[in-house]
Amino acid sequence: MIKIGIDVGSTTVKLLILDENNKIMYSRYERHMSNVFEKVGELLQQLLDEKGDMEVEAVITGSGGLSLAKLFGIRFEQEVIACSEAVQTLTRRFSRFFDGGRESRRA
């Protein structure tokens, strides 16, 4: 099954599609300028225009993702758990992983 992930952060939206082999087949990273719903809608429309209809398994994460997940009826995954699962799945050869994102550096 093709997987789509949407990460709605405090300033940006990231959209990623993985094929059945977990290979990236589409990705976008854009600032939402506090217009989260509009930007997500725009990115999904671009995806539809470029790739056409497809059946996907979708998940939303990020600080701004919960309300969007409820609105669309899509599963919400807490960001730390989503990152942990991605690391375990995609980088099994590493024994440690450091998330150098802006939020992590504040601590």
Side-chain angles (χ1 to χ4, degrees), residues 73-84:
I74 297 173
R75 183 172 65 97
F76 177 81
E77 184 72 63
Q78 202 280 338
E79 193 168 3
V80 172
I81 293 172
C83 288
S84 176

Side-chain angles (χ1 to χ4, degrees), residues 18-19 28 34-35 51 55 58:
L18 300 176
D19 68 13
R28 293 293 181 272
S34 298
N35 296 313
K51 300 291 184 181
E55 189 172 325

Side-chain angles (χ1 to χ4, degrees), residues 45-87:
Q45 185 62 54
Q46 288 174 7
L47 170 63
L48 182 61
D49 292 345
E50 289 182 36
K51 300 291 184 181
D53 286 338
M54 65 178 92
E55 189 172 325
V56 299
E57 178 184 334
V59 65
I60 296 178
T61 191
S63 60
L66 185 58
S67 58
L68 195 63
K70 288 179 180 178
L71 179 68
F72 288 146
I74 297 173
R75 183 172 65 97
F76 177 81
E77 184 72 63
Q78 202 280 338
E79 193 168 3
V80 172
I81 293 172
C83 288
S84 176
E85 288 178 6
V87 168

